[in-house]
Amino acid sequence: MAQIEIKNVAKRFGTYQALHDINLTIQDQEFMVLLGASGCGKTTLLRIIAGLETATTGEVSIGGRRVDHLAPKDRGIAMVFQNYAVFPHLTVFENIGFGLRMQKLPNDEVKDRVERTAELMHIEQLLKRYSGELSGGQRQRVAVARALAMEPDVILMDEPLSNLDALLRMEMRAELKGVLATSNTTAIYVTHDQVEAMSMADRISVMHQGEIVQAASPIEVYRNPAAEFVAGFIGNPPMNFLPAAPAGDGKWTVAGQVMDGPRSGKPLKFAIRPEDMRPADEGLTATAKVVEPLGAHLLITCEVQGSMFRAVLDSDMSVNPGDQLTLAPQPDRMRWFDPDTTLAVA
Amino acid sequence: MNARLLPYVLILPVTLFLCLFFLYPFLLVSKQAFSTGAGFTLDNFREVTGYWKFPITMRNTLLLAAAVVPIQLALALLMATMVNRMKKGRDLVLYVWTIPLGISDLAAGIIWLAIFEQSGFLNSMMSGLGLVDKPVNLLTFQNPGIVFLAIMLAEIWRATAIMLVILVAGIGLIPKEYYEAAEVFGASPWKRFLRITLPLLRPSLQTALVLRVILAFEIFAVVAALGGTLFPVLMGETYAYQFDLLNSGAAAALALIILAISIAFTLIILRVLRVPKGATI
């Protein structure tokens, strides 16, 4: 059992506050992705869990045991580094067996476990090579195998796929997810790539400026962003925002249209995903500016009462720049945000 | 200018310079070593190796190198590791530690002579503390151990920094991520030094050791200042053949023997510390 509990963790580098009071519980065998733009503190949080960085305040527990004062090796973790950190002077075999050798396991067991994990990662034919003779993808596999060979309770991954080319990244994504699902380890995975996060995670923690803005399942993060930042960060293209003026009794005026919304007295922001817009007889009036046929659908960047607005429409539609469109939002997909707190309003 | 030719044109001046001032004199010395006036001969080599002092000078030189170089290597590694960990003042410490590099070897020998001689600092200190009644002459034939120790100390003081600067540069090239990976996978600081720093430092260790070992076989001025004739070394003998005995053939032969030893040790060091193909950082 390796549930990870992070309580009130904060980190300060000099005058820079990298993390503010982080609270997060990661369930046993859960695949948790820390997602955010660079500089949001996700790697710092991972390094604090690993023990490579010390939190300024707060507690970290793994499997019910406080680990903040333990050395990384005593935390029951293994890690995959962004630049792989595959030791250049050791063969692939010795790289995968490095941690096992440090534990002074007998040779037979080292050999057995190295060969088993190498097979799992499909690199059994590379065991005698040095890292200088490997491709980026192969090094990546060695780094993952080295972590898995430890049979850790928790496996920490710091942007492990960011140095691979797009095709390889997609392939490794699926493979990594499969391997980790069968390994019964709790995984924390840091990435800035939302597609990676959406496709791999059991749960995503979206981080922004040293805080966790939302921690929820991928579909929840996508459908019900807890804050404007999440709505604007997740999804490609991201959510559209339009100012909404109260029209009394749960009614709102958005770009001249009256819509049903939450009961609130002050102005809100109306938000909708581009793919949740439909051409209709009645709705928002939009002027198409740029039309991008993407094969599966049509991405239209338009203007709605002076604001930029994107819609994803069926590729059969014929739209030209300058055309006037009437687009209606799907009622159950409309979201509302408080412009002061930037949080979602239900 | 043809781009393929340009590099060769650019290295031409230095090549010519080396040919003129190194290769040509080297050939002259070789010719001198292998001739006594009439044709090719090994007489010069027979003369120098047959002389009763030759085994002693050879033994002294090797002994000194064997005593000094490992200590310097250990010290340089320790100092380089410490400097590398420093966040502030690193450059200042490095400058201070490398000051001895800027001092000529003869001057270094004289500095240490000022410490060890009869009227030197060590004697004044010892008599000041009441450890000795009157200043004693430490550097005499009765105290070969002290003479050896003084030379060792002077050499360590003088020439550790040359290894230090090479190793500091080498350690700086090792990515931090390797240390973090090693730490996560259970390596203690000592294990990280043994299993990460040392192997990844092999190219720098090669350079530092080759340079230092060659210098150790060429030791002359420090020994001359501190030991005089009490501790004969190969280079001192070469000097004696050339300028005291005016036997330049024998001096040339001995110089070539020193060169051969240096080349042999260089090859051994390069071989032992070689980096397998594909195993570089």
Side-chain angles (χ1 to χ4, degrees), chain B residues 52-248:
Chain B
W52 65 271
K53 258 174 121 178
F54 180 75
I56 302 170
T57 53
M58 179 68 101
R59 193 201 61 199
N60 283 347
T61 309
L62 291 177
L63 204 65
L64 199 60
V68 169
V69 176
I71 293 176
Q72 288 186 319
L73 178 63
L75 274 177
L77 276 170
L78 181 71
M79 288 154 83
T81 317
M82 290 196 297
V83 166
N84 202 51
R85 293 265 181 97
M86 290 178 70
K87 289 198 175 72
K88 273 186 197 156
R90 189 192 129 111
D91 288 352
L92 181 70
V93 169
L94 215 49
Y95 283 134
V96 172
W97 280 356
T98 47
I99 284 174
L101 270 188
I103 294 169
S104 86
D105 47 358
L106 183 59
I110 292 168
I111 289 173
W112 284 83
L113 185 65
I115 295 172
F116 279 97
E117 69 182 344
Q118 197 157 12
S119 56
F121 297 122
L122 186 62
N123 266 311
S124 349
M125 203 172 78
M126 286 198 301
S127 60
L129 290 170
L131 296 174
V132 288
D133 301 332
K134 56 181 172 49
V136 281
N137 196 354
L138 296 165
L139 303 173
T140 66
F141 72 96
Q142 288 127 319
N143 302 324
I146 294 178
V147 173
F148 186 72
L149 199 72
I151 295 171
M152 254 180 81
L153 276 174
E155 268 299 278
I156 291 168
W157 175 83
R158 184 182 74 82
T160 302
I162 184 81
M163 298 182 91
L164 172 69
V165 286
I166 295 169
L167 296 183
V168 165
I171 286 181
L173 288 178
I174 302 175
K176 248 176 95 180
E177 223 175 24
Y178 292 136
Y179 290 102
E180 293 187 337
E183 191 182 351
V184 165
F185 288 100
S188 61
W190 175 239
K191 275 266 154 67
R192 292 202 284 276
F193 176 74
L194 285 184
R195 308 257 338 225
I196 308 295
T197 309
L198 280 186
L200 291 181
L201 206 53
R202 271 182 298 193
S204 306
L205 284 172
Q206 272 183 347
T207 314
L209 274 175
V210 166
L211 213 63
R212 187 60 203 98
V213 166
I214 289 175
L215 287 176
F217 292 129
E218 290 174 357
I219 185 167
F220 174 59
V222 169
V223 172
L226 285 166
T229 52
L230 297 175
F231 192 82
V233 287
L234 286 174
M235 209 42 117
E237 279 312 283
T238 313
Y239 180 89
Y241 273 117
Q242 178 73 33
F243 295 105
D244 300 341
L245 304 172
L246 301 178
N247 184 347
S248 51

Side-chain angles (χ1 to χ4, degrees), chain A residues 26-101:
Chain A
I26 299 155
Q27 300 304 329
D28 181 38
Q29 298 184 26
E30 189 176 24
F31 195 124
M32 169 63 86
V33 170
L34 304 180
L35 175 66
S38 56
C40 73
K42 56 192 192 300
T43 295
T44 305
L45 182 58
L46 190 80
R47 290 170 59 86
I48 287 172
I49 300 168
L52 292 171
E53 209 82 68
T54 324
T56 311
T57 54
E59 295 176 13
V60 179
S61 309
I62 298 177
R65 186 171 61 119
R66 282 235 2 218
V67 296
D68 357 329
H69 300 295
L70 298 181
K73 68 183 170 75
D74 299 320
R75 298 185 176 205
I77 55 151
M79 190 159 169
V80 180
F81 291 82
Q82 184 172 8
N83 299 317
Y84 320 129
V86 171
F87 304 125
H89 58 294
L90 299 177
T91 59
V92 168
F93 184 100
E94 286 305 325
N95 260 289
I96 301 176
F98 187 88
L100 308 176
R101 293 251 191 253

